[in-house]
Amino acid sequence: MAVAKIADDIISVTDLNYRYAGQARPAVAGVNFAVRRGEVFGLLGPSGAGKSTTQKVLTRQQRSFGGQVTIMGKPLGAWGSDYFERIGVGFELPNHYLKFTARENLTFFASLYARPSRPPADMLALVGLEAYLDKKVETFSKGMRMRLNFVRALQHDPELIFLDEPTAGLDPVNAGIVKSLIADLARAGKTIVLTTHNMNDVDQLCDRISFMVDGRFAALDTPDALKSAHGRRIVRVGTPDGTAQDFSLDGLGDNAEFLALLRTGRVDRIHSQEASLDQVFTNVTGHRLDAAEAGAAA
Amino acid sequence: MKRVLNVIRHDIVSITRDSVMVNIVVMLLVLAVAAATLRHMGLYPEWWHNTQLLLLLCYMPGMGYLFAMLIVDEMDSGVNQALLVSPASAMAVLCARVALPTAFVLIYAFAFIYSAQAIDLPFHHWLLPVLTLSMSVAWVTLLVPAISRDKVKALGLFKILNLYTAIATVGLFIPQDAWYRPVLWLTPASWSLNGIEAFIASQEAAGYAWSFGGLLFFGALVAHAAWLYLRRQAQ
């Protein structure tokens, strides 16, 4: 079983440590986790928790670290430039050559890869930017630049993709398009490491999520398991007169009071009381999500 | 290699798109043609020596600045992060960005020296002093992005670095025995000019000593700038 598990893990991290020069406290302190091939793995936590540092280590932007990191079956330090052929990185903030067009930006980055990239027009069509192919990026809104960021990370068809806040700055329609593309990538067998504060994205996309606090993992599980663990095993039944009654989920089918209430026909809503991911975030990290988002934006 | 060439080609497109490079190259050509014309017409012979050295020295940091600004711009916009996670080697790209403008100024320097022929020295006497001066390109290319946080600071810093290099030309206009002359030795460009002057005066040993000393001096400045640049990249 262990052999099968290792073969399935595209990322394996053991006792990862990283300390910035001049800092007393490590940014990442003894983190252990694995990401399975084809999984969408969420990396969550308040600002300064160590998410970005972990991602920078995994994408080799920070090359000196403590612990062991194995990616695609090979220690991270043993990879050469071919590593970047197989990963794609979408950044939190748009970063493009502003005086160049969208086509020129994508063509330039494609020219840095040995493996063939998809044509810029096709990539831009994925995110509704095909009409802006030959427009300079300096004329783009933040949302358009974010969409360009997103497709640049994918154009060389990487098998492991790191995405940092991919829907930040996007309107609901375009955020939906990007989420749909991420789901398509996962269905196509790509592995995605998603860093975000958007719990809606996490809920819709992630197979498993981890919460980082002070450089450590405070929790790691599926979204449903975390919501159940941090919620109450009850259902709340609301009636038209505005009152609500709670019933334990255990033995609900045999609960005479609950069944009697259903039979009255005066029920207008029934909600399970599992925790939302926002609540899980607050419980696990000790930070309110809106404060974490404000910190990330600052 | 192909990736580095693609980055350099992109850099050149980026520079020329702003017309800055085109303006500088045209200005350099106009100055070289004017100096060569005056020399070959035999006009103002008392200015040939100083004109040759002034024009040789004053444009070099500017070429470094063009590439330094590309790097500052990439840092400012965050594109450098995207390059760091691409298969293009960051070190190879940096070396190419230093080598290309250095090669340009060297070619221009010797083209200018041999077209103007204002100072009659053999190639092996020119080589070390011109190499020393050309190191100002690497120094500016590395130091400006290592220290500057944005384009405004980059421009300010460049003006200081340019002044530090070009101030050596003051030595052309002050008496040889002036008591304050050694102050100019604080810039390696002065060592290079002293080398050329020594070669002109047929003091070969002094010429090599000044030139080699200037090369070491500028080499130390470039090494320090490279260390600062790499430290900032690591941060």
Side-chain angles (χ1 to χ4, degrees), chain A:
Chain A
M1 277 305 285
V3 172
K5 182 182 177 301
I6 289 167
D8 278 352
D9 289 343
I10 196 164
I11 297 174
S12 172
V13 174
T14 307
D15 195 25
L16 176 64
N17 285 277
Y18 190 89
R19 186 193 303 268
Y20 287 100
Q23 298 290 316
R25 199 169 57 85
V28 180
V31 163
N32 297 284
F33 69 100
V35 179
R36 297 165 198 147
R37 195 174 292 277
E39 182 175 41
V40 181
F41 184 85
L43 204 50
L44 315 177
S47 298
K51 310 181 301 289
S52 296
T53 305
T54 302
Q55 185 149 318
K56 280 182 176 174
V57 169
L58 297 179
T59 55
R60 300 197 74 191
Q61 292 176 75
Q62 302 286 5
R63 298 205 176 194
S64 57
F65 56 86
Q68 293 175 328
V69 178
T70 302
I71 299 190
M72 292 177 277
K74 207 159 142 181
L76 190 55
W79 281 97
S81 64
D82 52 337
Y83 178 61
F84 299 110
E85 297 279 352
R86 297 176 66 177
I87 69 163
V89 183
F91 293 90
E92 179 184 3
L93 296 173
N95 48 4
H96 306 287
Y97 290 102
L98 301 182
K99 294 191 186 312
F100 286 73
T101 65
R103 186 204 298 271
E104 287 170 330
N105 268 279
L106 292 181
T107 304
F108 167 64
F109 276 97
S111 76
L112 304 180
Y113 292 84
R115 57 167 63 186
S117 293
R118 290 176 63 185
D122 292 359
M123 297 308 297
L124 291 173
L126 288 177
V127 289
L129 288 176
E130 62 272 30
Y132 300 91
L133 186 62
D134 293 312
K135 301 278 185 205
K136 284 188 180 174
V137 176
E138 65 188 358
T139 65
F140 283 20
S141 67
K142 188 195 173 193
M144 293 162 78
R145 293 179 191 188
M146 281 304 294
R147 284 183 273 162
L148 185 57
N149 252 24
F150 179 70
V151 293
R152 187 183 64 199
L154 309 179
Q155 65 172 344
H156 58 287
D157 194 25
E159 55 207 84
L160 173 58
I161 303 159
F162 297 89
L163 297 173
D164 196 350
E165 302 283 2
T167 59
L170 299 186
D171 61 70
V173 173
N174 283 308
I177 291 171
V178 166
K179 281 190 277 189
S180 161
L181 288 169
I182 294 172
D184 289 347
L185 289 166
R187 275 192 290 275
K190 308 291 184 189
T191 307
I192 296 158
V193 177
L194 182 66
T195 306
T196 183
H197 286 104
N198 189 324
M199 295 302 140
N200 195 28
D201 292 0
V202 170
D203 221 356
Q204 291 176 28
L205 294 170
C206 292
D207 298 307
R208 286 190 306 147
I209 53 178
S210 61
F211 287 94
M212 282 191 86
V213 188
D214 296 333
R216 297 174 193 279
F217 272 14
L220 196 170
D221 213 327
T222 63
D224 286 344
L226 286 167
K227 285 190 284 189
S228 295
H230 289 267
R232 293 188 297 159
R233 288 186 52 76
I234 58 173
V235 289
R236 179 163 293 168
V237 181
T239 54
D241 58 8
T243 60
Q245 226 179 318
D246 291 346
F247 299 93
S248 170
L249 270 176
D250 300 316
L252 188 64
D254 299 322
N255 188 319
E257 195 181 355
F258 173 72
L259 295 173
L261 183 60
L262 287 184
R263 278 193 290 269
T264 64
R266 294 179 54 248
V267 173
D268 66 355
R269 60 191 186 280
I270 301 178
H271 291 301
S272 63
Q273 295 299 297
E274 64 181 14
S276 67
L277 281 177
D278 293 23
Q279 288 169 316
V280 176
F281 185 97
T282 305
N283 290 350
V284 170
T285 67
H287 293 71
R288 283 170 55 86
L289 186 58
D290 50 359
E293 285 171 342

Side-chain angles (χ1 to χ4, degrees), chain B:
Chain B
M1 189 63 185
K2 185 179 158 233
R3 291 168 182 146
V4 175
L5 289 176
N6 285 336
V7 174
I8 293 302
R9 188 173 58 189
H10 184 266
D11 285 351
I12 291 171
V13 172
S14 184
I15 291 171
T16 53
R17 198 161 279 190
D18 274 349
S19 303
V20 177
M21 178 82 157
V22 177
N23 290 344
I24 288 178
V25 170
V26 169
M27 187 186 72
L28 289 174
L29 288 174
V30 167
L31 288 172
V33 168
T37 305
L38 290 178
R39 168 67 183 85
H40 292 295
M41 289 175 71
L43 298 172
Y44 307 112
E46 66 278 16
W47 281 100
W48 294 349
H49 170 272
N50 284 4
T51 307
Q52 173 89 79
L53 295 181
L54 268 170
L55 293 181
L56 200 56
L57 194 147
C58 289
Y59 70 93
M60 290 199 180
M63 291 304 296
Y65 177 67
L66 290 177
F67 282 81
M69 281 304 283
L70 282 180
I71 300 172
V72 171
D73 203 22
E74 281 175 357
M75 287 176 167
D76 211 20
S77 63
V79 186
N80 66 324
Q81 285 182 302
L83 286 172
L84 281 176
V85 296
S86 79
S89 158
M91 192 55 78
V93 168
L94 181 65
C95 290
R97 283 176 166 172
V98 170
L100 186 73
T102 303
F104 178 85
V105 297
L106 282 172
I107 291 167
Y108 174 78
F110 283 105
F112 178 45
I113 286 167
Y114 287 108
S115 64
Q117 295 178 339
I119 297 173
D120 189 22
L121 284 177
F123 176 77
H124 62 277
H125 282 170
W126 279 117
L127 186 60
L128 269 182
V130 172
L131 268 178
T132 301
L133 292 177
S134 73
M135 291 184 83
S136 64
V137 175
W139 186 51
V140 169
T141 305
L142 294 169
L143 193 57
V144 168
I147 294 178
S148 311
R149 299 277 165 198
D150 53 52
K151 290 183 196 174
V152 176
K153 286 180 182 162
L155 180 61
L157 178 62
F158 164 68
K159 289 189 176 222
I160 294 168
L161 301 184
N162 195 35
L163 179 66
Y164 176 72
T165 308
I167 203 161
T169 57
V170 172
L172 298 172
F173 303 96
I174 61 174
Q176 286 295 327
D177 56 352
W179 64 268
Y180 48 85
R181 193 174 183 84
V183 175
L184 294 176
W185 300 351
L186 292 172
T187 167
S190 276
W191 295 47
S192 175
L193 291 191
N194 288 349
I196 295 170
E197 299 283 20
F199 283 127
I200 292 169
S202 303
Q203 298 165 348
E204 191 153 317
Y208 280 117
W210 277 114
S211 303
F212 194 66
L215 198 62
L216 288 179
F217 191 166
F218 239 140
L221 292 179
V222 171
H224 177 248
W227 177 76
L228 287 174
Y229 179 87
L230 294 174
R231 194 180 67 163
R232 179 159 185 201
Q233 286 290 310
Q235 286 169 351

